[in-house]
Amino acid sequence: DTAVSQTPKYLVTQMGNDKSIKCEQNLGHDTMYWYKQDSKKFLKIMFSYNNKELIINETVPNRFSPKSPDKAHLNLHINSLELGDSAVYFCASSPRERGAQETQYFGPGTRLLVL
Amino acid sequence: AQTVTQSQPEMSVQEAETVTLSCTYDTSESNYYLFWYKQPPSRQMILVIRQEAYKQQNATENRFSVNFQKAAKSFSLKISDSQLGDTAMYFCAFTGYEKLTFGTGTRLTIIP
């Protein structure tokens, strides 16, 4: 069983569209994260949720909205997609509230290409 | 603000040799964790090894070991008896209280 799963793995879409990426973890972790990896492979945190509560919100455009229906799921919705949104998006999870000091387990990533 | 620096963008080594990847970090926190993650061409992020700052003993995981120099804020990864499957991007990462900060990565190629 996959510990942290993401769907879809690949997403190709036109500029201006709205799309969502889903993430689920079956590890029983309390904290979940979204990261963006750009074309130069640089990884940067976007959001962090603990038990459905937003705890980290980096300087990310308002077009990006995370949603956590329960602590096992953290979805990422992106409105009005732009060319610069093309990247690989990783979901991750860690055990406890102070998740930053715990090991984070990553999903397989979603490669988003905006045309 | 915490920063993580990997000064070697690319490295290559012959199979079965030993290679060391460098990482330095900057922080004012006293309690923190350091990690090395591996990202093979499949793009999956895989935890290689983890070190707690309060532990003086260097972490080891099979062929992977670290040289943690707290005063120098250095955290290098040594891969012994390198294998073709070690070919990947390697990311050093730091976490204190808030978030995980990654370095820019080192692309390691193992040559047959």
Side-chain angles (χ1 to χ4, degrees):
Chain A
D1 285 341
T2 304
V4 182
S5 59
Q6 294 178 229
T7 53
K9 288 190 176 176
Y10 298 94
L11 188 51
V12 181
T13 188
Q14 297 288 329
M15 220 168 37
N17 284 349
D18 302 340
K19 289 293 177 186
S20 292
I21 306 172
K22 295 185 177 182
C23 177
E24 176 181 1
Q25 54 95 3
N26 62 7
L27 297 167
H29 289 170
D30 287 335
T31 310
M32 295 184 72
Y33 310 82
W34 277 110
Y35 288 86
K36 179 180 180 180
Q37 186 176 41
D38 62 23
S39 58
K40 295 185 178 178
K41 302 291 189 183
F42 186 61
L43 265 158
K44 189 162 190 260
I45 190 166
M46 301 172 68
F47 301 104
S48 171
Y49 266 75
N50 175 260
N51 259 322
K52 304 193 294 177
E53 181 183 348
L54 181 67
I55 55 173
I56 292 177
N57 184 353
E58 292 291 292
T59 49
V60 177
N62 290 338
R63 301 181 295 103
F64 290 79
S65 54
K67 284 188 173 51
S68 182
D70 56 62
K71 75 173 193 177
H73 296 84
L74 180 61
N75 304 323
L76 183 65
H77 189 75
I78 315 171
N79 289 328
S80 304
L81 277 155
E82 300 178 357
L83 295 177
D85 297 332
S86 294
V88 179
Y89 292 85
F90 284 97
C91 178
S93 72
S94 63
R96 294 201 301 256
E97 178 175 354
R98 300 219 172 154
Q101 293 198 355
E102 294 288 335
T103 300
Q104 294 185 21
Y105 297 87
F106 284 78
T110 295
R111 183 178 292 279
L112 171 65
L113 179 60
V114 182
L115 303 175
Chain B
Q2 55 210 31
T3 59
V4 179
T5 302
Q6 293 180 251
S7 58
Q8 304 150 314
E10 293 189 28
M11 295 185 73
S12 60
V13 67
Q14 292 288 137
E15 191 177 2
E17 290 185 351
T18 295
V19 61
T20 299
L21 309 183
S22 301
C23 173
T24 58
Y25 59 94
D26 192 19
T27 183
S28 57
E29 299 184 45
S30 58
N31 185 22
Y32 53 87
Y33 289 69
L34 294 156
F35 305 86
W36 279 98
Y37 281 90
K38 166 185 175 181
Q39 187 178 38
S42 66
R43 83 164 178 258
Q44 176 75 51
M45 292 290 289
I46 302 165
L47 177 69
V48 175
I49 201 164
R50 151 188 160 132
Q51 173 82 42
E52 293 90 341
Y54 63 87
K55 287 188 177 178
Q56 293 187 339
Q57 188 173 5
N58 289 326
T60 62
E61 284 289 339
N62 301 314
R63 297 182 296 109
F64 299 87
S65 61
V66 298
N67 184 4
F68 174 46
Q69 302 286 332
K70 191 171 182 179
K73 295 181 180 172
S74 170
F75 183 61
S76 60
L77 175 69
K78 185 171 87 170
I79 307 174
S80 303
D81 185 26
S82 57
Q83 300 174 359
L84 296 179
D86 296 333
T87 292
M89 283 287 289
Y90 286 81
F91 292 95
C92 179
F94 166 101
T95 184
Y97 180 80
E98 285 296 332
K99 61 183 182 181
L100 193 61
T101 300
F102 285 88
T104 50
T106 296
R107 185 179 299 278
L108 176 65
T109 301
I110 308 300
I111 303 166

